Amino acid sequence: MRPLLLLATLVGVVLFLLGLHLELKWLTLLSKPVPVIGLLLWLHAAPVGAYRRWVGIGLGFSLLGDMLLEWPADLFVFGLGAFLLAHLAYLLAYLGDSRRLAPLELLVAATAASAMFAVLARAGLGSLLLPVALYSLAIGAMLWRALARIGAVPARSAWLAAAGAVLFVLSDSLIGISRFVAPFEGAGYAIILSYWLGQLGIAASAVLNRPQLEGACSAPSISAR
């Protein structure tokens, strides 16, 4: 990431955390989209292709979800819908790289998504039961396909996407726990930092999705032996 873009992104992070600490709603509203916008701009450095396109679409829907959740009105359902579309976009990005069954990864993702839904459903979701069930299904599928890329694509891209997906699931789980189960101290910080780090991992997986570079780097060491 270019220094100026990195600086602007970090300023957005700091301003949002400051607004969160001081409970300045106007500051959090203005600064929250900045980090994801920074990632969208950085994404232009990624190799052109379907993977970059779907990751960009996912970041775009995430940006919309950010604003809907931060807006001074109860737009939670609409924010949930935007993030659902973001997860589906990431799912399509991952499917474009690998479609192997990956049963162990499926088991891990299904367990994580089912556990998250079970905890929230036990707390009582009311009319949100079906939307949250669909969301859990989508996020589980997204996590499964992110994990399934490991070993099928360049290692850096695979592990960054997997780490990003795990952090995104963690952030969503913390939102659900804080909203439906029991609010906890520091929830806002834990949610936003795990979310931003997750998005960073996913965006970086596109920027570093360069198999030809890995081959070029390995060639000299092989010929030298």
Side-chain angles (χ1 to χ4, degrees), residues 127-146:
S127 61
L128 289 176
L129 182 65
L130 181 58
V132 172
L134 292 174
Y135 191 87
S136 300
L137 181 63
I139 201 172
M142 183 276 297
L143 178 59
W144 169 36
R145 298 320 306 172

Side-chain angles (χ1 to χ4, degrees), residues 103-120:
L104 180 59
E105 289 84 350
L106 173 59
L107 178 61
V108 170
T111 300
S114 299
M116 179 180 74
F117 177 70
V119 169
L120 299 181

Side-chain angles (χ1 to χ4, degrees), residues 14 24 27 30 42 62 65 67 74 78 80 86 89 105 108 119 131-132 138-139 159 183-184 191 201 203:
V14 171
L24 297 175
L27 183 56
L30 290 176
W42 183 42
S62 296
M67 300 312 297
D74 189 6
F78 298 100
L80 191 72
E105 289 84 350
V108 170
V119 169
V132 172
I139 201 172
W159 283 104
F184 58 94
I191 289 167

Side-chain angles (χ1 to χ4, degrees), residues 28-168:
T28 58
L29 181 63
L30 290 176
S31 59
K32 192 174 186 181
V34 174
V36 175
I37 291 173
L39 293 178
L40 274 167
L41 294 174
W42 183 42
L43 196 63
H44 288 288
V48 176
Y51 190 82
R52 186 181 85 167
R53 181 171 65 252
W54 284 115
V55 168
I57 292 172
L59 286 171
F61 279 120
S62 296
L63 180 61
L64 176 61
D66 281 341
M67 300 312 297
L68 290 170
L69 292 183
E70 199 62 33
W71 199 260
D74 189 6
L75 300 176
F76 180 79
V77 174
F78 298 100
L80 191 72
F83 280 114
L84 172 64
L85 293 174
H87 286 305
L88 293 177
Y90 292 146
L91 171 62
L92 289 172
Y94 303 148
L95 279 172
D97 273 355
S98 172
R99 298 199 177 189
R100 68 186 185 93
L101 181 59
L104 180 59
E105 289 84 350
L106 173 59
L107 178 61
V108 170
T111 300
S114 299
M116 179 180 74
F117 177 70
V119 169
L120 299 181
R122 193 177 300 118
L125 293 171
S127 61
L128 289 176
L129 182 65
L130 181 58
V132 172
L134 292 174
Y135 191 87
S136 300
L137 181 63
I139 201 172
M142 183 276 297
L143 178 59
W144 169 36
R145 298 320 306 172
L147 297 175
R149 289 176 77 244
I150 297 174
V153 300
R156 288 182 302 175
S157 176
W159 283 104
L160 284 166
V166 168
L167 286 166
F168 208 158

